Amino acid sequence: MSMILGLYNYWIVIVLMMIGFYIIIAHGHLIKKIVGLNIFQTSVFIFYISLGKVEGGTAPIWQEGILLYSNPLPHVLILTAIVVGIATTALGLALTIRLKEAYGTIDEDEIQAMDNQAMDNQDKESKPC
Amino acid sequence: MLAHLPILQVIVPLMAAPACLILRRPQLVWMFTLLASALAFIISILLLQQVMQTGTISYELGGWSPPWGIEYRIDKLNAFIALIISGVSTVVLLAAQTSIEKEIPQDKHTLFYILYLLSLTGMLGIVTTGDAFNVFVFLEISSLSAYSLIALGRDRRALWASFQYLIMGTIGATFILIGIGLMYQMTGTLNMADLATRLPEVAETRTVTTAYVFFIVGVCLKLALFPLHLWLPNAYAHAPSIVTAFFAATSTKVAAYLLIRFTFSIFGVSFSFTTLPMETLFLGLGLLGIFVASTVAIYQDNIKHVFAYSSVAQIGYMIVGFSMSTNAGLSAMLLHVFNHALMKGALFLALGAVLYRVGSTQLRDFQGLGRQMPLTMAAIVLAGLSLIGVPLTVGFVSKWYLVVAAIEKGWWPVAGLVLLASLLAVVYVWRIVETAYFKAPVVGKELVQEAPMTFLIPVWILVSANVYFGIDTRISVDIATAAAQSLFGVVP
Amino acid sequence: MGIAVAINQIKDMFAVVMLAGIYGLVSASFFVTLDAVDVAFTEASVGAGISTLLMLTTVAITGRTEHEASHKPMLALFVVMVTGGLLIYGTFDMPYFGSVDAPVQNHVGPRYILDSMQEIGVPNMVTSVLASYRGFDTFGEVTVIFTAGIGVLALLSVVRRPEDDTAIEAINDSMHEKHLILRVVIKTLIPFILLYAFYVQFHGDFGPGGGFQAGVIFAAGIILYAMLFGLSVARRVIKQPLVQLLSAIGVLIYGSVGVVSMLNGGSFLDYGVLSADPIAGQHLGILLIELGVGVTVASVMIIIFFSFAGRSEYQQAKKGKSL
């Protein structure tokens, strides 16, 4: 029982991660994929932060008289990771805009179909009459 | 300054990148980039020499000792890889200005060089650091710049290839992050040497196993190990030629380095290969990769696709060497890392020259090219022979060591399969040779000239290296074996 | 969690983006309960703020609806189950949530908590670790942001011609006259936003804050201005080449601090050698690098926004011409 109490926080985070992961794989709409990626990444952040939490501690900013602090190291790592996340999102969205311009659609299956079509056309050209 | 070499290896390209934005004229930017890359190459040579003589180098960043501060740790393995990366980068850059003139719009040239330098920085940073989280940060620098560079390709398929790579790559990076987090949770440290000491105590736990699995899966995505290779063929085929030449020789090698480093130095051979069925798994996936990718390569019409699939196959060879978990197997793998960089660097650069003159890399456009671009085609033929593994080329040397390692381990069928797969390579190389030399050029099409010197020089540098190191194998073999040995010993 | 599931189901992209923004905010508050105030601050501004803004711009360009339902749901479900299962399997040997004797709390962490006041003299332990102990990671982080800025430029920047500008300006002017009250209110607000950004930048040693958050807030102020007064007006006030230069300078400031440390006999980014008194050196080093961070983050955020908005204008202008 105490194991469940001690671990359920992690399990919730894992479920969140998986929902995000699912959205990335299962959906064809590019922006939704990016949103899924964000959810996936943010849940990993929550996981890291919960590693550092100390029962009864406070935020790691030194104050007179406080002795128990939560661990600042995971916070630092996650600050960096958040920045990495937004960088990836920005690039992904920029690509999405260009893809819309180039293909007229931002659905994965439609774009793939257009590419396959183009490859078939190229093959037809190369076969001698 | 000598004491600061480890950090300079990464700082030089890193600070050169934003500095490019300050320079105005594109010609100047190219020279500057070339200079930065050459400097990085020189530093890597000096570092390798130092390590071979005096052993592992440790550098404390910020003046804080590890594990509270970040440490740079150079040993024979990563010095070797850094040498390969910076060397290929410099040679490839010689042709860059000419190549991008036809492949990338003028107003983006400066941005291209900045991204190139950032990519170089990222890769060197991954290789030289001794801190697990630092690996993640520089992995992302290299990935983000890679996605952008690939998207600069001429046609719209480059955009799609880049997006797919972004999604898959970020999933991989996030898996790696999860792995690092779990490792941290169980040991309380991020320093790689420290992890190596502390992990054995907790190695029995399920958490550590999960950490290893997630980390390795993430790395294998970046490595393009079958079946996680799906992003690679399109990315290599549609990116600008210089980008492909650079990446084909380097980016997957960096992932291979991470695989080796974390499996051998950090988790330890006994954990990785005994607790988990890594040997069978990697052997199986490696062999599958070799055969499936080589076969698919035979049916491709775009020559860039042919060699992209060929790269997936070559990674398979490397993993077969890795799976043996013996000194010999690992040496073979490292040797192949070096040799593959030379082979593919030369091939894709030569293809870049073809693209420059002909405007396409479709097989049918190679008809009669043997006469029109004799030097370029000769380079492709030689590099192709190296790929097959003909004696006197580096390709032969790698395959030889791999086969010998397999036989030493008693894996006779594997040795046979490796030789068999070479036959597949013969098929896809022969297709190109046949079309270029034995078919007449298409009637009515304009004849093209030989590639300009800016292409020929770097291509032939790489091709000559292919032959030179194929005949005089002392340097590459010595370093590879020394690096492998150091991994099997105690933590360096 | 409900938000995440909803995002999965809903097909109206505008709603999805809004929900994503809310998810970011909820995560931020979650971080506060986990004692991670700096992180909460950053997640709120970045995850809920900038991220939502960029997604909205993208949706505006690419369309509001998702075409069809999820494809290959079975395969996706299988993969997710395996991955999730593996992770849960991994939790069974973990130290319990919040426990004091976890390895994490007893090895590297304690020094940061106990000694950072003496070694660095800054109350905010996160800042000490971020800017000093693990300052090189942060350097890498600034480089990541810089890379994203350059990447977005490479993807979206358009060569501007004067004729394009005047045509677009005409459209913008007519649109913006309608929002007079908004303009007046925002005009008074923007200086305060920028001031707050400076406060966050320099107060980061003592409370949550620092270069990143400050940079984002500053950029937000500028973006607000651009949104309300039109891109072309904003471009005249905030010249693009200057902003690009600034993004590069931020990174170079950071690196130069490291180089100066090396020249003074220490290793890269060793602030202790920057001044006679090591603690003063630490303070100086942290101040400078945070400045570098703030400058680059602000400039890159502005660059990204202007690139996105600029591309949208470019597309509209193209459509206008082809009619």
Side-chain angles (χ1 to χ4, degrees), chain A residues 27 32 70 79 98 101 110, chain C residues 8 10 67 155 311 315:
Chain A
H27 284 265
K32 237 196 196 181
S70 283
L79 276 174
R98 286 289 301 274
E101 274 176 34
E110 291 175 26
Chain C
N8 185 34
I10 297 181
H67 280 195
L155 283 169
R311 195 82 184 186
Q315 285 189 359

Side-chain angles (χ1 to χ4, degrees), chain A residues 6 9 11 26-27 32 46 50 52-55 57 60 62 70-71 75 79-80 83 98 101 108-110, chain C residues 7-8 10 30 35 42 51 55 66-67 70-71 80 84 91 96-98 104-105 123 125 141 145 155 311 315:
Chain A
N9 282 284
W11 293 342
H27 284 265
K32 237 196 196 181
I46 299 178
S50 42
K53 166 91 181 144
V54 174
E55 199 70 50
W62 191 84
S70 283
N71 195 337
H75 301 187
L79 276 174
T80 307
V83 170
R98 286 289 301 274
E101 274 176 34
E108 180 183 37
D109 297 322
E110 291 175 26
Chain C
I7 291 182
N8 185 34
I10 297 181
F30 200 42
D35 294 341
T42 313
S51 198
M55 285 193 213
E66 185 184 7
H67 280 195
S70 13
H71 64 157
V80 167
T91 59
Y96 292 162
F97 175 69
V104 170
Q105 312 294 7
M125 295 169 211
E141 188 181 348
I145 277 282
L155 283 169
R311 195 82 184 186
Q315 285 189 359

Side-chain angles (χ1 to χ4, degrees), chain B residues 233-293:
Chain B
N234 282 332
Y236 280 17
H238 299 298
S241 308
I242 292 293
V243 173
T244 313
F246 182 40
F247 284 166
T250 56
S251 66
T252 41
K253 314 296 172 298
V254 174
Y257 160 77
L258 281 175
L259 186 65
I260 300 175
R261 175 64 79 201
F262 274 77
T263 307
F264 285 92
S265 310
I266 300 183
F267 281 90
V269 187
S270 51
F271 171 78
S272 318
F273 287 92
T274 332
T275 325
L276 302 159
M278 285 294 127
E279 197 174 271
T280 350
L281 194 63
F282 278 126
L283 180 64
L285 289 177
L287 287 171
L288 266 173
I290 300 175
F291 281 95
V292 172

Side-chain angles (χ1 to χ4, degrees), chain B residues 139-155:
Chain B
L139 182 67
E140 284 302 273
I141 294 178
S142 106
S143 304
L144 288 172
S145 45
Y147 308 146
S148 314
L149 280 168
I150 294 173
L152 283 173
R154 285 186 324 169
D155 72 64

Side-chain angles (χ1 to χ4, degrees), chain B residues 1 4 7-8 10-11 14-19 21-22 24 59-65 67-70 72 107-108 111-112 114-115 118 121 129 131-135 137-138 140-141 144-145 147-148 151-152 159 175 178 182 184-191 194 198 204-210 213-214, chain C residues 83-84 86-87 89-95 102-105 107-112 119-120 129 132-141 143-148 150-159 241 244-245 247-249 251-252 254-256 259 262-263 265-272 282 311:
Chain B
M1 267 301 129
H4 295 294
I7 190 61
L8 282 173
V10 176
I11 296 300
L14 203 166
M15 294 189 48
L21 211 48
I22 304 182
R24 285 279 107 198
Y59 186 89
E60 294 173 2
L61 283 147
W64 303 110
S65 22
W68 295 276
I70 296 176
Y72 260 27
D107 58 312
K108 312 250 158 135
L111 296 173
F112 167 80
I114 299 179
L115 288 167
L118 286 168
T121 306
T129 187
D131 182 280
F133 190 76
N134 207 225
V135 166
V137 176
F138 279 83
E140 284 302 273
I141 294 178
L144 288 172
S145 45
Y147 308 146
S148 314
L152 283 173
L159 293 170
F175 274 18
I178 294 176
L182 290 169
Y184 172 65
Q185 184 183 32
M186 298 309 285
T187 58
T189 178
L190 291 168
N191 179 277
D194 202 17
R198 298 183 138 237
E204 298 299 304
T205 60
R206 288 169 260 214
T207 317
V208 171
T209 319
T210 315
V213 172
F214 269 90
Chain C
T83 318
L86 186 57
L87 275 172
Y89 166 79
T91 59
F92 285 113
D93 289 324
M94 278 184 195
V104 170
Q105 312 294 7
H107 181 44
V108 176
R111 172 172 172 179
Y112 296 143
E119 292 184 323
I120 301 183
V129 180
S132 185
Y133 291 108
R134 293 188 69 94
F136 190 65
D137 256 353
T138 311
F139 192 30
E141 188 181 348
T143 312
V144 166
I145 277 282
F146 180 68
T147 311
I150 300 292
V152 169
L153 269 178
L155 283 169
L156 295 182
S157 68
V158 207
V159 181
Q244 288 177 20
L245 197 64
S247 67
I249 288 181
V251 181
L252 289 171
Y254 204 123
S256 313
V259 172
M262 289 201 299
L263 293 172
S267 56
F268 190 74
L269 289 178
D270 183 355
Y271 307 140
Q282 290 290 336
R311 195 82 184 186

Side-chain angles (χ1 to χ4, degrees), chain C residues 67-88:
Chain C
H67 280 195
E68 51 181 68
S70 13
H71 64 157
K72 307 202 275 278
M74 278 294 113
L75 177 63
L77 211 55
F78 174 70
V79 171
V80 167
M81 286 293 167
V82 169
T83 318
L86 186 57
L87 275 172
I88 295 188

